[in-house]
Amino acid sequence: PDLSRPRSGDGGTNLPTCHGRLCQVPTCPAGTTTAIVGKLYAGNGTDPVPGAAVFVPVYELPELPPALGCDLCNDIPFSVASARTEYDGSFRLTGVPAGTIPVVARLGRFQRVVSMEVIPCVENPVAVDPDTGGKGIRLPRKNRELAGQDALPRIAVASGDYDQVECVLKRMGIDEIDMYDGRGLNNPPAIAPLAQLLSDEKRLFSYNIVIVNCTDNQFQGLLGQPGVQKSLEKFVGSGGRLYVTDWAYDVIEQVPQFSPYLCFEPQSPPGAPMCTAGPSPQTVADSRNPYNGKDQVLDPEMAKWLRQFPGVIDPSDKVDVGYSFVVVSSASQDPKTPTKTWVSGPTPFGTRPQTVTFDYNSCGRVHFSTYNTEPAGAVDDGARWPSNCKKTFSPQERLLEYLFFDIASCLPPPG
């Protein structure tokens, strides 16, 4: 039934009924509505967040579940009004309650809850958060930053010799991560070796997102352990998100259940069916020869988002991307192992996918990019964390930023 307005009783025998904040939705003159408009930004207050859910809950907002879960897009609480943010972070909620109400912005396990006073039957600008230039609200930089229910996903990062995705996260405005295997003073302090994370299922399952930077081969013995492979598969299959760059590809390829989605050069023998013999030998795709190119952005929404940043994408939707080593042989098009290629470009083997994601078990998501955060060929250095991180994004880091929003977001319901 339509519960958006109070109900009259039946012949005066029943009391009028409505539910929660639905009772606060005013009846407006024809052609008008009670609306909330605004924009959602990343924690840095400047970068628009696309694809987030913005809603007004009917009842009190339940706490986000502490456990790992599928985070499906239909899992938002019963709402009076809801919308998805556009490529520029903008949103518009209509038919909202009047009075003091909470407005919730959610992207996966990122959540910002802002309280505002809504005037009936007019368009209300959303209450403004600090550091957004008076333009809207932003995701929190840490848990409970601006309100008691502000939240971030738990993020684990494995350090890299050649990559520092943690610097991209810092520039995005994410201040809470756990570092594993810190490589020196230019990384956040490490809390433990990566082996403790991947060998301890309870610890691994306490995170929502695991990022493995491009690094040398110090993790290969660990990835060869069947128990570690089983834990990685179970983590993603239970709703975990795995974000991998360049030489860390073995984190994907060595897990038998993941290897059919994405194959790497060299493949022997080549051709379909993809990777059916199982994972290739460890380090077989390691190349010491970097390649660069103008990569084609294939997703129209991603291209629209990138155009907001001057100098990132050209009129033909290409981005200068450098310092890739690993070459993707092919990304699966089998309906049983579907993938999405976001970016493709020139490699020593011809045009190939450069960024691919796939959903696993209709619950978790895996991301792989061939390129590092550092097109110059070295991680940010010269100072102690976090002052070693540059203040500005390179074009390829903008790609990684957008794809981090995607890896963090909810998944479509099965079917």
Side-chain angles (χ1 to χ4, degrees):
D2 179 7
L3 300 178
S4 62
R5 296 290 186 273
R7 301 270 169 194
S8 298
D10 180 10
T13 59
N14 296 327
L15 293 173
T17 59
C18 60
H19 297 261
R21 294 187 182 91
L22 288 164
C23 302
Q24 297 175 237
V25 178
T27 300
C28 295
T32 66
T33 185
T34 308
I36 299 173
V37 296
K39 287 191 174 184
L40 176 65
Y41 296 94
N44 60 19
T46 59
D47 297 349
V49 176
V54 183
F55 60 95
V56 176
V58 173
Y59 305 109
E60 291 307 303
L61 184 69
E63 294 293 327
L64 285 169
L68 189 66
C70 292
D71 296 336
L72 301 179
C73 293
N74 61 352
D75 283 350
I76 66 171
F78 186 29
S79 59
V80 184
S82 64
R84 290 274 168 192
T85 56
E86 301 292 336
Y87 74 96
D88 61 353
S90 62
F91 61 87
R92 188 172 193 268
L93 301 176
T94 59
V96 300
T100 303
I101 63 169
V103 179
V104 183
R106 183 181 291 177
L107 183 77
R109 295 296 178 96
F110 284 97
Q111 180 169 276
R112 171 75 180 106
V113 183
V114 59
S115 179
M116 64 177 290
E117 186 71 25
V118 174
I119 300 170
C121 304
V122 299
E123 191 170 87
N124 296 261
V126 73
V128 171
D129 278 342
D131 306 322
T132 63
K135 297 178 180 178
I137 58 175
R138 63 170 174 83
L139 297 177
R141 296 169 183 157
K142 54 188 178 182
N143 285 290
R144 296 172 293 280
E145 181 194 5
L146 301 172
Q149 288 186 291
D150 290 353
L152 279 74
R154 290 204 69 205
I155 303 171
V157 181
S159 67
D161 294 306
Y162 310 114
D163 209 358
Q164 280 187 303
V165 175
E166 62 270 21
C167 279
V168 176
L169 301 184
K170 184 69 177 176
R171 286 190 280 278
M172 291 170 62
I174 296 172
D175 287 346
E176 288 187 356
I177 64 172
D178 285 346
M179 199 77 193
Y180 287 81
D181 274 285
R183 310 300 294 170
L185 297 180
N186 60 338
N187 290 120
I191 65 170
L194 184 64
Q196 286 190 23
L197 176 65
L198 299 187
S199 302
D200 182 344
E201 192 171 287
K202 183 178 179 181
R203 181 191 284 253
L204 180 61
F205 276 50
S206 72
Y207 292 96
N208 306 105
I209 301 173
V210 173
I211 297 171
V212 186
N213 278 300
C214 173
T215 193
D216 223 322
N217 291 325
Q218 58 264 34
F219 301 145
Q220 301 313 313
L222 178 65
L223 296 172
Q225 298 176 17
V228 167
Q229 296 169 5
K230 181 180 178 182
S231 292
L232 281 167
E233 184 275 331
K234 189 175 178 182
F235 168 73
V236 178
S238 301
R241 312 303 166 89
L242 184 60
Y243 190 102
V244 179
T245 61
D246 208 35
W247 260 22
Y249 71 96
D250 273 317
V251 177
I252 298 172
E253 186 168 51
Q254 297 310 311
V255 177
Q257 295 89 343
F258 297 163
S259 62
Y261 289 84
L262 194 58
C263 299
F264 303 90
E265 292 288 1
Q267 277 293 303
S268 180
M274 286 183 58
C275 308
T276 50
S280 295
Q282 289 182 353
T283 77
V284 71
D286 289 4
S287 168
R288 298 281 174 176
N289 300 311
Y291 62 92
N292 310 297
K294 273 191 168 292
D295 285 5
Q296 185 74 50
V297 174
L298 303 177
D299 183 80
E301 290 300 306
M302 183 184 197
K304 285 168 65 176
W305 185 84
L306 293 168
R307 290 189 199 109
Q308 298 173 102
F309 305 100
V312 170
I313 189 169
D314 71 15
S316 60
D317 291 349
K318 291 184 177 179
V319 177
D320 283 320
V321 174
Y323 212 60
S324 295
F325 286 90
V326 173
V327 178
V328 172
S329 172
S330 53
S332 174
Q333 299 303 309
D334 189 325
K336 296 179 181 178
T337 52
T339 61
K340 176 171 181 175
T341 298
W342 297 83
V343 178
S344 66
T347 77
F349 294 84
T351 299
R352 295 291 176 82
Q354 304 281 42
T355 290
V356 179
T357 59
F358 61 85
D359 294 346
Y360 181 72
N361 195 35
S362 298
C363 192
R365 181 167 286 168
V366 176
H367 162 96
F368 178 76
S369 283
T370 63
Y371 39 89
N372 295 179
T373 60
E374 297 302 320
V379 298
D380 293 337
D381 58 12
R384 190 181 295 265
W385 169 269
S387 58
N388 60 301
C389 291
K390 300 189 303 291
K391 304 301 181 187
T392 59
F393 292 81
S394 69
Q396 65 197 59
E397 288 171 345
R398 287 295 186 193
L399 296 174
L400 293 168
E401 180 185 19
Y402 184 92
L403 291 158
F404 184 81
F405 292 142
D406 178 75
I407 201 82
S409 65
C410 61
L411 268 64

